[in-house]
């Protein structure tokens, strides 16, 4: 058993929408552990609670009960333990979505630099960080290109660079490869694995994408609001 302090530890987390006879239990007691440097797949049928779980971990919606810690800090224990959730999301959690959600009239560097600037980093240092992240993702040659000038794969790389800009210990990725073809999807997963190791970032990837599921060493399958850990194939990329 590993003695590493987990980056993400979820204990009996629940989420109920509504009250009374029309209430829906989206999460019914989720348990998960993810260590620094791990990339873990989260799979399950539509409506099983995957996105709800990511929103709870991302402090976007409040769970109903349970407990979770991020990097050893208790974030939720039957109530929020952090008062400034926006700062938590900005500084500790990176988000990658199915659509890149980049600002079209800014170039790639400015899109990535915005997050550190919001955290109080001065513009030159924020731009230097942005270029570092774009270089790590091998898209630095597009640093001055505006978003409509980028291919779909390049846009997703810029979105991942943005998620890494504040070097968060955790990244939550919701269907990050859905719009990509097989070659680009596998390239994105390879990048996520490399960056997880390089920055010791814990990454949860929600996916239906059968092209990338065999690459995970560990998988959590969520069914009817509960998670079941399964060994993955860990196929080399």
């Amino acid at each position: 058993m590993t003695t590493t302090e987990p980056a993400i530890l979820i204990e009996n987390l629940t989420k109920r929408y509504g009250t009374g006879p029309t209430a829906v239990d989206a999460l019914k007691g989720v348990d998960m552990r993810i260590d620094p440097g791990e990339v873990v797949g989260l799979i399950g049928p539509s409506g099983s609670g995957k996105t709800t779980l990511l929103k709870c971990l991302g402090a976007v919606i409040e769970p109903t009960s349970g407990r979770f810690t991020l990097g050893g800090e208790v974030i939720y224990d039957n109530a929020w333990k952090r008062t400034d959730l926006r700062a938590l999301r900005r500084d500790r959690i990176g988000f990658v979505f199915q659509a890149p959600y980049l600002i079209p009239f800014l170039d790639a560097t400015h899109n990535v630099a915005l997050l550190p600037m919001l955290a109080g980093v001065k513009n030159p240092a924020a731009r230097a960080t942005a270029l570092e992240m774009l270089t790590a993702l091998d898209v630095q040659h597009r640093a001055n290109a505006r978003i409509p000038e980028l291919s779909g794969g390049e846009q997703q790389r810029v979105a991942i660079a943005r998620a890494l800009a504040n070097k968060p210990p955790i990244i939550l990725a919701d269907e990050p490869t859905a719009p990509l073809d097989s070659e680009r999807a596998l390239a994105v997963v390879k990048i996520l694995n490399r960056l997880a190791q390089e920055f010791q970032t814990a990454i949860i990837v929600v996916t239906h994408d059968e092209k990338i599921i065999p690459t995970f060493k560990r998988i959590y399958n969520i069914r009817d609001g509960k998670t079941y850990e399964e060994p993955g194939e860990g196929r080399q990329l």
Side-chain angles (χ1 to χ4, degrees):
M1 183 176 177
T2 181
T3 57
T4 304
E5 183 175 81
I8 303 170
L9 183 62
I10 307 168
E11 301 169 277
N12 198 32
L13 200 71
T14 73
K15 175 59 181 177
R16 171 172 287 185
Y17 292 106
T19 58
T22 61
V24 175
D25 291 309
L27 303 177
K28 301 177 182 177
V30 168
D31 296 291
M32 293 175 68
R33 175 189 172 124
I34 302 168
D35 290 327
E38 269 199 299
V39 180
V40 173
L42 180 61
I43 66 173
S46 297
S48 58
K50 301 185 300 298
T51 298
T52 292
L53 177 56
L54 243 61
K55 286 180 177 179
C56 288
L57 290 179
V60 176
I61 61 174
E62 184 172 1
T64 300
S65 65
R67 188 173 192 266
F68 72 85
T69 64
L70 302 181
E73 178 187 356
V74 178
I75 302 299
Y76 181 87
D77 191 355
N78 294 311
W80 292 118
K81 299 303 177 183
R82 272 266 195 141
T83 54
D84 191 345
L85 296 177
R86 188 168 73 169
L88 171 71
R89 291 190 293 268
R90 182 190 66 211
D91 300 334
R92 300 287 303 281
I93 305 169
F95 297 91
V96 181
F97 304 100
Q98 179 174 339
Y101 295 119
L102 299 167
I103 300 172
F105 54 83
L106 296 180
D107 64 24
T109 302
H110 275 95
N111 267 277
V112 178
L114 273 177
L115 199 60
M117 289 172 67
L118 289 171
V121 177
K122 298 296 184 184
N123 185 33
R127 288 181 61 83
T129 296
L131 188 57
E132 176 192 352
M133 293 299 103
L134 292 171
T135 301
L137 284 143
D138 196 27
V139 74
Q140 71 278 6
H141 59 292
R142 305 293 275 154
N144 296 321
R146 296 194 178 190
I147 302 310
E149 299 168 356
L150 304 178
S151 70
E154 288 171 338
Q155 288 186 30
Q156 196 65 308
R157 290 185 184 213
V158 173
I160 295 169
R162 179 186 58 193
L164 285 163
N166 283 339
K167 298 184 179 175
I170 294 148
I171 288 181
L172 306 176
D174 194 359
E175 300 282 4
T177 64
L180 305 177
D181 60 30
S182 295
E183 183 179 354
R184 289 184 175 89
L186 291 171
V188 164
V189 174
K190 187 173 183 178
I191 288 167
L192 289 175
N193 277 277
R194 175 170 56 82
L195 295 174
Q197 288 295 310
E198 183 176 345
F199 297 109
Q200 284 298 286
T201 304
I203 303 177
I204 299 178
V205 180
V206 168
T207 188
H208 287 103
D209 191 344
E210 294 184 0
K211 301 186 295 292
I212 70 169
I213 289 173
T215 68
F216 298 112
K217 293 179 180 177
R218 284 202 307 133
I219 292 170
Y220 282 96
N221 195 329
I222 186 165
R223 301 190 300 271
D224 298 322
K226 285 184 171 288
T227 45
Y228 303 87
E229 185 178 353
E230 302 174 355
E233 294 181 33
R235 189 177 297 172
Q236 293 294 317
L237 294 166

